[in-house]
Amino acid sequence: MNWEVVIGLEIHAQLSTQSKLFSGAARSFGAEPNTNTTLVDLGMPGALPVFNKEALRMAVMFGHAVNAEIGMTSVFARKNYFYPDLPKGYQTSQMDHPIVGKGHLDITLEDGTVKRVGITRAHLEEDAGKSLHEDFHGMTGIDLNRSSTPLLEIVSEPDMRSAKEAVAYVKMIHSIITYLGISDGNMAEGNMRCDINISLRPKGQTEYGTRTEIKNVNSFRFIERAIYTEIERQADILEDGGKIVQETRLYDPDKDETRSMRSKEDANDYRYFPCPDLLPIELTQEYVDQIASNLPELPTQKAERFMSEYKLSEYDAGVLSASRAMADYFEEVAKVAGNAKLAANWVMGELSKYLNTEGKDITESPVSATALGELLVRIEDNTINGKTAKSVFQAMWEGEGSADQIIDAKGLKQVTDTGAIESMIQGVLDANPDQVEQFRASDEDKQKKMIGFFMGQVMKASQGKANPGVVTPILNKLLKG
Amino acid sequence: MIDQSIASLAKKLRDKEISSVELTQDYLARIKQYDGQLNSYITITEEIALAQAEAADKQLAQGAASPLTGLPIAHKDLFCTDGILTTCASKMLHNFVPPYESTVTGRMLASGTVTLGKTNMDEFAMGSSNEKSYYGAVKNPWNLDKVPGGSSGGSAAAVAAGLCVAATGTDTGGSIRQPASFCGITGLKPTYGRVSRFGMIAYASSLDQAGPMARSAEDCAHILQSIAGFDANDSTSAEVDTEDYTANLDAPLTGLTIGLPKEYFGDGLNNDVASAIQEAVKEFEKLGATVKDISLPNLNLSIPSYYVIAPSEASSNLSRFDGVRYGYRCEEPKDLMDMYKRSRGEAFGKEVQKRIMVGTYALSEGYYDAYYLKAQRIRRLIKEDFVKAFEEVDVIMGPVAPTTAFGIGAKTDDPIAMYLEDIYTLSVNLAGIPAMSVPAGFADGMPVGLQIMGNYFSEAKLLNVAHKFQQATDWHTKNPSLVEGA
């Protein structure tokens, strides 16, 4: 059977506020257990939540970025369930009246087509603490540092039809929240987590199949693999005439499999009701508009500007605007180098190659954008050629200094003196009489192929320092005799 | 000494007729003498009280005293007090010592009061008789076979018996007014949001409100002055300026319009209680007020509405008592579920368990609309009834409770009869308006309380109305024979 996969995603993004959603404790990662806590985060009797307005502003920014309706009145609700790291016995979240309503965003697929994905809603909620099972001799330790840190839960429509689309969507959300500066989006630290709802249906069928939910997947790669694995599992069951059980599953990256966590029958009745400790949030149009007018440039807008301002291709503009850090880096290189196309080629080529090899993020590059720009200036002004530039870049990467320092120290300055180059070429021709004779006997097509050989020999003789722009006409002239 | 008002005690302290330490020692001695019979205190903080009294005496000597400096008072045992056991009268919190101070007790401390101890109450403030305490029932000082009312029964009994100058209470469905009525003292439930709930262990967050319980309206005014006002730690506290609550106590009542809702004088109201209330209303007419018959048609709906909303919120508020971080944890739990079930099963009393179950049921999927949402709609109707009434009248009067204090054990097997005790008080909490209980006579030897209800944030007016009544009558000055001769 030909199956169509239907995917919807719930993304939890931790907002990068100074303090927590309902308490004044610092929002931080990696502190000693239970040190970043207040009475509120500990669920002390009599403690009351006080809402952090910074989180509100960030949620409204996100709403604008995905073209969503903003909830002018939004209400916090309690989601009741017992868990040891949930200190109050309920999570303060939003149910009937979320801060962000229906919206949408566009994702660009690998073949260049653009697809619109619906956003159902996004709401504010507090995170729980963490249960620690090691080192407690059969007991469980509770760390409430994360308790009450602010999350924005972003719920998509079931609009995605492949793992690739799902990943493109998650990347776009990641890109938007980091562009907005409302989340670090650091998936390894768990401040962006993803629940994947997934079902299969025969191609052409309109109603959805029974779905499963894969909880808490925390990397782009795992999202893709979890989806492939789950598609395969569901397809096997359906093709054997079986039925999918609606349930929550966990993805195990080590075994590359999903396994059942709890079925719908075991699911909690969360008994949502409006939180009586918090008043409804009432927004004014002025507040909402003011946030809209101060929104930073978003990935799609940036890509469009790169195309018009720097004459980049759609593909290059897309790659370079994928993350705010990448875009900022590129723009700085282009500004210093004065040649955007050259900057684009280097950022996407040599720099990315080095970053990938060492598994580094662009923010961790040992070569700053300004330093790379200065290197490209030396290509532009013919001090060095492209090939030499690559070796200079390698030295810069290894911390040997700036482009100019390395060019000077290694004596890599191009030779552009025509007399010196002419005698160097003559030397090459004298050393290769057979090839010269063969060249002169060939037709024009053959000659074009052979010129590369002489060029190589000249560059070798000059230790790469001869300016190819100067060499070519002289070489042509001398070869033709 | 127990007949003295806050104002006169404050004067004696300032005039050095008595020191705060002496006054505190007197009250501690009285507690030792009488509280064995009454059981109004859960914790007596003798050392802390004497240390605070010494500090107060220093302040008095420096002339930097507030009207409350050096006065021995008591707090209901659901206000978190830093370093002092706070039990909510529950086995669940039998060992809970808060690491912080509630706003109410903190403001009282800042006013220089001396804390004698923490008073008994119905467990987690759930009850109308103070029989539902892990620490045992409280007795009514007027008749030890009768209940003091609840849930602030310990505070009411302690004030009535002269075991403190005044006390704090909380009122979710009548828990200040009904025990004040049963014990013959004056109690004020302020407007919802007037007093911060921070540090007050929650029963039903949208209804809970702290207030003073004292020997007169004037004393209540002094306490309210200390505890009222916006608190950034409580998002539901009101950003409405406080007034000078003692400034207009003596303002004349000429031109005051009193509304008498016919629903407060119907079936179920004890005849002797009814006559006492009618006599009190005549007293107000003598003081220049006019009386108008009004209707609050949805009064009967307040009981079902309250007994859905309050347990619903309670079922969630009490989820934090899970044996994980503080309070009671069962012995040798097998696993997590066993720990939850036995810790909560062993440490919550039956009434608390019942309300948690009712609330859990009402919020469940499939029942939420029929119970919780419907109850909220009724709540709006009740509120509208009051809003409409206050367009015509300045205050509304009626009884606090249908009867005087009933016998201990008389209603424990009949929860419906117990819930009906709250018929005249619940709607005030559902609407969020302020109301008082003021001593207005006796029926069969037990005190009767007159309820005075006011518009939002009209505490100053209510205190003025109550004070003028107390200037004209002496019901609030009567003392139970148990403590007479003190």
Side-chain angles (χ1 to χ4, degrees):
Chain A
M1 177 105 47
N2 202 355
W3 299 105
E4 180 178 53
V5 59
V6 175
I7 301 167
L9 294 164
E10 290 162 28
I11 294 172
H12 292 84
Q14 188 183 113
L15 297 176
S16 49
T17 50
Q18 289 294 309
S19 57
K20 294 182 177 182
L21 188 56
F22 297 118
S23 89
R27 184 195 59 87
S28 72
F29 179 77
E32 280 290 302
N34 299 310
T35 53
N36 278 332
T37 52
T38 66
L39 302 167
V40 176
D41 319 317
L42 296 170
M44 275 288 164
L48 293 172
V50 176
F51 177 48
N52 181 345
K53 301 259 174 13
E54 201 188 354
L56 175 68
R57 185 181 56 82
M58 290 178 170
V60 172
M61 285 173 79
F62 177 80
H64 285 312
V66 296
N67 316 291
E69 299 161 16
I70 304 297
M72 299 304 282
T73 300
S74 65
V75 176
F76 283 109
R78 292 185 185 175
K79 179 182 181 180
N80 295 283
Y81 64 98
F82 284 95
Y83 206 72
D85 59 26
L86 189 71
K88 299 190 295 294
Y90 56 83
Q91 177 191 28
T92 310
S93 179
Q94 297 189 309
M95 185 62 183
D96 291 336
H97 304 281
I99 179 69
V100 176
K102 273 196 176 308
H104 61 82
L105 55 79
D106 292 336
I107 54 173
T108 307
L109 306 175
E110 275 178 352
D111 64 1
T113 56
V114 171
K115 175 166 179 153
R116 179 154 290 188
V117 178
I119 302 283
T120 314
R121 57 184 280 155
H123 63 256
L124 286 166
E125 63 182 27
E126 60 180 342
D127 209 342
K130 275 181 184 162
S131 295
L132 309 167
H133 300 288
E134 286 117 34
D135 310 327
F136 292 97
H137 315 287
M139 309 271 279
T140 298
I142 306 293
D143 176 7
L144 294 173
N145 280 349
R146 201 179 66 182
S147 168
S148 194
T149 50
L151 298 176
L152 187 66
E153 178 173 337
I154 304 156
V155 183
S156 84
E157 290 291 304
D159 284 350
M160 283 144 286
R161 295 290 174 268
S162 70
K164 295 265 186 235
E165 287 184 17
V167 171
Y169 167 79
V170 179
K171 283 187 171 164
M172 183 51 92
I173 292 286
H174 182 266
S175 170
I176 288 170
I177 60 179
T178 50
Y179 262 73
L180 293 173
I182 62 171
S183 175
D184 305 333
N186 189 327
M187 297 182 87
E189 284 182 7
N191 61 30
M192 181 168 154
R193 314 193 289 269
C194 197
D195 300 341
I196 308 160
N197 285 283
I198 179 163
S199 66
L200 299 187
R201 63 181 172 190
K203 253 211 160 89
Q205 181 180 305
T206 47
E207 60 268 35
Y208 297 128
T210 305
R211 68 187 162 84
T212 59
E213 181 178 16
I214 310 170
K215 278 272 182 205
N216 275 337
V217 190
N218 66 351
S219 84
F220 296 130
R221 198 158 52 91
F222 292 165
I223 290 167
E224 188 167 353
R225 280 169 51 190
I227 292 172
Y228 282 133
T229 308
E230 182 61 12
I231 291 173
E232 208 172 304
R233 192 190 69 88
Q234 290 192 13
D236 285 350
I237 292 171
L238 293 170
E239 270 159 24
D240 289 347
K243 278 200 167 116
I244 303 301
V245 180
Q246 187 176 338
E247 61 183 354
T248 305
R249 301 182 68 84
L250 271 184
Y251 175 68
D252 180 343
D254 296 330
K255 295 185 178 152
D256 194 26
E257 63 176 27
T258 66
R259 55 172 181 267
S260 182
M261 208 171 130
R262 58 171 182 261
S263 76
K264 194 190 173 193
E265 283 68 39
D266 306 327
N268 282 309
D269 176 353
Y270 290 120
R271 291 171 283 121
Y272 279 99
F273 77 107
C275 180
D277 287 331
L278 292 159
L279 301 173
I281 307 163
E282 307 276 357
L283 302 185
T284 62
Q285 196 58 49
E286 187 191 357
Y287 173 85
V288 172
D289 292 347
Q290 193 253 336
I291 290 174
S293 60
N294 288 314
L295 222 53
E297 191 178 37
L298 289 164
T300 318
Q301 295 162 340
K302 196 165 287 241
E304 280 164 11
R305 182 168 62 80
F306 283 3
M307 286 159 67
S308 63
E309 188 176 330
Y310 300 124
K311 311 289 176 231
L312 299 185
S313 71
E314 190 174 347
Y315 177 79
D316 289 0
V319 172
L320 291 170
S321 61
S323 85
R324 187 167 165 177
M326 173 80 97
D328 289 349
Y329 190 103
F330 157 71
E331 287 214 88
E332 176 66 14
V333 176
K335 193 181 90 190
V336 175
N339 181 338
K341 183 67 197 161
L342 186 67
N345 288 344
W346 271 78
V347 172
M348 291 165 64
E350 210 65 6
L351 175 72
S352 293
K353 193 176 81 189
Y354 276 75
L355 289 172
N356 289 341
T357 308
E358 297 195 9
K360 282 194 160 83
D361 186 79
I362 194 153
T363 53
E364 304 162 321
S365 169
V367 179
S368 74
T370 313
L372 177 56
E374 284 164 3
L375 171 65
L376 303 192
V377 166
R378 294 295 165 246
I379 300 176
E380 282 289 283
D381 67 9
N382 287 324
T383 305
I384 54 172
N385 60 39
K387 189 155 177 275
T388 307
K390 286 183 182 175
S391 67
V392 175
F393 182 78
Q394 185 181 356
M396 289 167 73
W397 185 271
E398 283 158 8
E400 292 176 26
S402 71
D404 284 349
Q405 285 164 347
I406 293 163
I407 291 166
D408 277 357
K410 298 195 172 178
L412 297 175
K413 204 164 185 266
Q414 280 191 136
V415 181
T416 46
D417 172 354
T418 47
I421 286 176
E422 191 164 338
S423 66
M424 210 185 305
I425 293 170
Q426 196 54 60
V428 168
L429 298 190
D430 292 347
N432 297 284
D434 294 351
Q435 282 82 352
V436 173
E437 198 173 319
Q438 199 184 339
F439 179 91
R440 289 182 177 152
S442 300
D443 60 21
E444 208 166 310
D445 278 356
K446 190 86 191 283
Q447 282 182 345
K448 271 188 188 159
K449 284 174 189 154
M450 289 186 72
I451 194 102
F453 165 78
F454 295 105
M455 196 69 186
Q457 293 299 313
V458 174
M459 293 314 281
K460 201 172 163 186
S462 75
Q463 291 168 310
K465 287 189 283 187
N467 184 338
V470 181
V471 172
T472 309
I474 301 171
L475 180 62
N476 273 321
K477 187 185 81 187
L478 294 180
L479 267 174
K480 284 177 182 155
Chain B
M1 192 59 69
I2 68 159
D3 278 338
Q4 304 285 322
S5 69
I6 284 180
S8 79
L9 283 173
K11 186 169 185 307
K12 284 192 167 67
L13 287 168
R14 276 198 304 273
D15 295 348
K16 310 280 188 298
E17 275 181 48
I18 189 171
S19 72
S20 174
V21 169
E22 286 164 344
L23 192 60
T24 302
Q25 280 165 341
D26 280 359
Y27 275 97
L28 287 168
R30 291 181 57 77
I31 293 169
K32 277 178 197 147
Q33 189 180 350
Y34 296 110
D35 207 43
Q37 298 171 75
L38 294 174
N39 196 28
S40 65
Y41 281 85
I42 290 174
T43 303
I44 299 158
T45 51
E46 183 166 353
E47 281 179 34
I48 291 170
L50 290 170
Q52 289 171 340
E54 272 183 49
D57 282 332
K58 275 184 200 143
Q59 279 216 302
L60 285 157
Q62 288 162 5
S66 91
L68 297 179
T69 302
L71 296 183
I73 53 89
H75 291 301
K76 187 177 184 179
D77 205 19
L78 54 56
F79 292 99
C80 285
T81 39
D82 196 352
I84 300 172
L85 183 70
T86 300
T87 68
C88 251
S90 179
K91 185 180 180 183
M92 182 56 87
L93 292 177
H94 73 285
N95 59 356
F96 177 64
V97 178
Y100 77 109
E101 196 72 37
S102 77
T103 299
V104 164
T105 54
R107 287 184 178 180
M108 292 282 275
L109 287 176
S111 299
T113 58
V114 170
T115 310
L116 292 167
K118 306 291 290 289
T119 56
N120 207 340
M121 54 185 281
D122 283 299
E123 184 180 0
F124 283 101
M126 298 178 189
S128 310
S129 67
N130 218 130
E131 294 169 286
K132 321 269 190 202
S133 166
Y134 175 61
Y135 297 92
V138 178
K139 312 284 167 53
N140 191 314
W142 290 90
N143 180 340
L144 296 177
D145 294 329
K146 307 258 186 185
V147 303
S151 65
S152 310
S155 290
V159 171
L163 306 189
C164 57
V165 171
T168 52
T170 62
D171 191 317
T172 306
S175 285
I176 286 176
R177 292 161 287 155
Q178 186 250 22
S181 168
F182 280 14
C183 292
I185 65 161
T186 306
L188 165 63
K189 182 212 94 81
T191 308
Y192 183 79
R194 178 70 298 171
V195 177
S196 168
R197 294 185 299 111
F198 180 74
M200 208 173 104
I201 299 176
Y203 160 23
S205 314
S206 73
L207 301 160
D208 293 344
Q209 184 64 201
M213 303 178 79
R215 303 185 64 82
S216 68
E218 186 189 352
D219 286 3
C220 284
H222 284 292
I223 309 266
L224 182 66
Q225 202 71 56
S226 168
I227 63 177
F230 175 71
D231 176 13
N233 285 323
D234 175 3
S235 308
T236 62
S237 93
E239 288 192 69
V240 175
D241 288 341
T242 56
E243 294 172 62
D244 184 338
Y245 296 111
T246 53
N248 295 308
L249 287 172
D250 286 315
L253 300 188
T254 36
L256 182 82
T257 312
I258 298 169
L260 294 181
K262 61 172 195 251
E263 293 80 6
Y264 277 66
F265 296 90
D267 290 347
L269 176 63
N270 174 286
N271 284 335
D272 295 338
V273 172
S275 337
I277 301 302
Q278 277 146 10
E279 285 303 312
V281 171
K282 281 185 193 147
E283 197 62 46
F284 279 104
E285 289 179 302
K286 284 188 216 159
L287 290 167
T290 52
V291 171
K292 192 166 184 175
D293 288 326
I294 60 164
S295 175
L296 296 169
N298 293 298
L299 179 73
N300 279 332
L301 295 177
S302 63
I303 292 183
S305 171
Y306 175 88
Y307 279 101
V308 167
I309 292 170
S312 293
E313 293 182 11
S315 72
S316 175
N317 283 334
L318 270 61
S319 292
R320 67 186 60 195
F321 305 107
D322 56 6
V324 173
R325 297 166 312 285
Y326 46 73
Y328 179 81
R329 182 190 287 185
C330 67
E331 297 285 335
E332 304 286 326
K334 283 203 312 281
D335 55 28
L336 179 63
M337 202 43 75
D338 184 49
M339 185 179 91
Y340 283 152
K341 284 182 177 171
R342 284 204 287 122
S343 297
R344 290 167 65 81
E346 290 165 15
F348 283 141
K350 288 277 170 283
E351 183 65 27
V352 173
Q353 294 191 20
K354 184 162 69 190
R355 294 196 195 190
I356 289 173
M357 281 190 271
V358 167
T360 302
Y361 182 82
L363 291 175
S364 296
E365 205 176 333
Y367 298 99
Y368 178 80
D369 290 9
Y371 292 102
Y372 185 82
L373 282 187
K374 197 182 224 173
Q376 290 291 8
R377 280 199 293 275
I378 293 171
R379 184 177 187 169
R380 279 195 290 278
L381 293 178
I382 288 168
K383 186 179 166 172
E384 282 161 21
D385 282 354
F386 278 111
V387 168
K388 220 177 285 169
F390 285 119
E391 286 168 7
E392 297 177 44
V393 300
D394 300 311
V395 292
I396 296 171
M397 288 186 191
V400 171
T403 63
T404 55
F406 46 88
I408 289 174
K411 297 192 181 185
T412 41
D413 295 330
D414 188 351
I416 302 295
M418 189 76 94
Y419 291 176
L420 280 171
E421 267 300 307
D422 304 331
I423 177 80
Y424 302 135
T425 48
L426 297 178
S427 56
V428 161
N429 298 81
L430 290 167
I433 58 170
M436 292 187 73
S437 174
V438 177
F442 289 84
D444 272 344
M446 294 304 286
V448 172
L450 165 73
Q451 187 170 201
I452 312 174
M453 294 161 264
N455 212 339
Y456 297 94
F457 300 102
S458 68
E459 284 81 3
K461 171 55 76 182
L462 285 186
L463 289 162
N464 162 225
V465 169
H467 179 70
K468 290 301 281 184
F469 179 74
Q470 291 182 334
Q471 297 293 92
T473 61
D474 63 356
W475 303 116
H476 67 291
T477 65
K478 306 280 186 206
N479 287 314
S481 59
L482 171 79
V483 297
E484 213 124 44

